[in-house]
């Protein structure tokens, strides 16, 4: 008889072999447990912990956190080499959060010797982040597809800070018939200065962090002005960004909530990417276009 894995709140099992992790999750599903996946690249912060908390609220669910710095989504001149790798600290945070399973594989374990097939993200993958980082979303969707096939999660939790990534993953799940419910979780911000939490924030000096606060301030200004329309919202956000020469903007765009063209009225998304010193940051916020005063919140998600 096959032994069924069992887990307690305080137990954490770490797997470096995707095949071994797959055996465990399939055995758990075989006895009626649900599987929740929280994919990360490590350097865990409170934003990641919020994803874990959300996953653990689902009844009868075992949470799997993947910790893998995915080389496929980094371009040749990007920060793969210096991306923070803090595995021991990450495992401690997972243990404290009650995570049951961690997958922490090598690149060789995920991709093998000669990977050739990737997932093409479609036209949206070449816009916004994709225009600045060619090939990025093919790398993202490929590793997410592989994780979905390894773990076979019932639910997967992703933060809205990487909003374009979230939209593309939902599209992939729909178009390729993955049996996974993708759950988006609102951005977690620093409670004092409202900077969106990111593993890359640790690279900011004190002065650079002060400049980085221009991003949430611009989004807040754009959200308020968008009550008058999309053009006004973008102009207000742009004015805040332009006032700080230390912030080099890659893009500032207002799109529909599915990242198509913005509607004349209703729900939309304001997105920004910029470089502060040597660190590239992204941020976004939901907005309501053409909504009269009192018709909706103009505060950033927190």
């Amino acid at each position: 008889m096959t032994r069924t894995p069992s887990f307690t709140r305080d137990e954490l099992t770490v797997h470096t072999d995707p095949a071994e992790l797959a055996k465990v999750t399939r055995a758990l599903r075989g006895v009626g447990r649900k599987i929740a996946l929280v994919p990360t690249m490590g350097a865990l912060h409170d934003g990641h912990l919020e994803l874990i908390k959300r996953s653990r609220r689902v009844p009868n669910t075992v949470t799997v956190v993947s910790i893998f710095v995915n080389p496929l989504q980094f371009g040749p001149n990007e920060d793969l080499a210096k991306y923070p790798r803090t595995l021991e600290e990450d495992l401690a945070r997972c243990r404290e959060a009650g995570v049951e399973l961690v997958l922490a594989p090598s690149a060789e374990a995920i991709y093998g010797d000669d990977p050739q097939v990737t997932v093409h993200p479609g036209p949206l993958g070449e816009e916004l982040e994709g225009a600045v980082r060619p090939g990025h979303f093919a790398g993202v969707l490929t590793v997410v597809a592989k994780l979905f096939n390894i773990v076979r999660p019932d639910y997967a939790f992703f933060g809205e800070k990487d909003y374009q990534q979230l939209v593309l993953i939902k599209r992939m799940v729909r178009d390729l018939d993955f049996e996974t419910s993708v759950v988006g979780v609102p951005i977690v911000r620093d409670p004092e200065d409202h900077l969106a939490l990111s593993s890359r924030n640790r690279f900011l000096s004190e002065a650079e962090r002060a400049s980085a606060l221009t991003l949430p301030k611009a989004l807040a200004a754009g959200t308020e002005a968008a009550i008058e329309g999309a053009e006004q919202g973008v102009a207000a956000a742009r004015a805040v960004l332009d006032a700080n020469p230390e912030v080099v903007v890659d893009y500032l765009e207002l799109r529909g909530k599915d990242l198509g063209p913005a509607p004349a009225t209703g729900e939309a998304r304001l997105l920004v990417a910029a470089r502060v010193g040597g660190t590239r940051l992204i941020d976004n916020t939901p907005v309501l276009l053409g909504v009269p005063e009192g018709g909706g919140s103009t505060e950033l998600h927190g």
Side-chain angles (χ1 to χ4, degrees):
M1 180 179 295
T2 301
R3 180 180 178 271
T4 301
S6 61
F7 298 95
T8 66
R9 175 173 291 273
D10 297 323
E11 184 177 351
L12 174 68
T13 304
V14 180
H15 291 271
T16 58
D17 183 350
E20 289 301 316
L21 185 280
K23 291 178 184 177
V24 174
T25 57
R26 282 155 178 73
L28 288 165
R29 291 188 72 182
V31 294
R33 302 295 297 274
K34 299 290 186 181
I35 305 298
L37 173 65
V38 179
T40 82
M41 292 207 300
L44 301 186
H45 51 66
D46 286 349
H48 296 113
L49 296 185
E50 182 62 24
L51 302 181
I52 293 169
K53 289 177 185 176
R54 296 293 184 97
S55 76
R56 289 180 55 75
R57 291 176 189 169
V58 183
N60 194 38
T61 296
V62 173
T63 295
V64 180
V65 172
S66 62
I67 299 174
F68 177 61
V69 181
N70 176 32
L72 214 59
Q73 68 191 66
F74 288 80
N77 298 315
E78 294 183 342
D79 59 351
L80 173 61
K82 74 170 188 175
Y83 195 88
R85 291 162 172 83
T86 58
L87 182 60
E88 291 306 315
E89 293 91 337
D90 294 342
L91 294 179
R93 300 202 79 174
C94 285
R95 189 173 290 108
E96 292 169 4
V99 172
E100 292 94 343
L101 291 165
V102 166
L103 175 63
S106 64
E108 292 75 17
I110 288 291
Y111 291 119
D113 295 330
D114 186 27
Q116 298 185 17
V117 177
T118 60
V119 178
H120 192 281
L124 179 58
E126 298 176 357
E127 302 172 14
L128 299 168
E129 281 296 286
V132 180
R133 305 178 67 186
H136 170 69
F137 287 117
V140 170
L141 295 189
T142 298
V143 77
V144 170
K146 290 181 73 69
L147 289 171
F148 283 2
N149 283 327
I150 293 164
V151 179
R152 301 288 175 90
D154 298 278
Y155 310 96
F157 292 79
F158 294 87
E160 289 185 357
K161 187 178 76 67
D162 296 288
Y163 190 77
Q164 187 177 7
Q165 169 182 284
L166 175 62
V167 170
L168 285 167
I169 289 170
K170 286 184 175 181
R171 183 64 184 249
M172 179 184 74
V173 165
R174 187 188 77 181
D175 289 355
L176 300 185
D177 299 312
F178 282 96
E179 295 181 349
T180 298
S181 296
V182 175
V183 181
V185 178
I187 295 171
V188 178
R189 297 182 178 276
D190 186 284
E192 295 185 2
D193 62 19
H194 307 296
L195 187 66
L197 299 189
S198 169
S199 299
R200 290 183 169 94
N201 289 353
R202 68 186 63 203
F203 297 136
L204 297 169
S205 68
E206 185 175 347
E208 288 169 344
R209 186 177 179 101
S211 291
L213 300 183
T214 303
L215 272 67
K217 290 175 182 176
L219 293 177
T223 300
E224 183 174 357
I227 292 172
E228 303 298 327
E231 185 176 342
Q232 292 87 339
V234 173
R238 173 64 68 178
V240 174
L241 293 167
D242 288 348
N244 190 337
E246 301 302 318
V247 177
V248 180
V249 177
D250 281 343
Y251 62 79
L252 170 70
E253 290 201 30
L254 198 150
R255 297 281 188 103
K257 63 180 181 179
D258 61 354
L259 297 186
T265 61
E267 297 180 38
R269 206 87 186 184
L270 184 59
L271 307 100
V272 64
R275 300 176 189 275
V276 180
T279 303
R280 188 171 184 275
L281 302 173
I282 62 173
D283 203 348
N284 69 86
T285 189
V287 300
L288 290 174
L289 295 173
V291 177
E293 187 174 351
S297 171
T298 61
E299 295 183 359
L300 294 174
H301 271 307

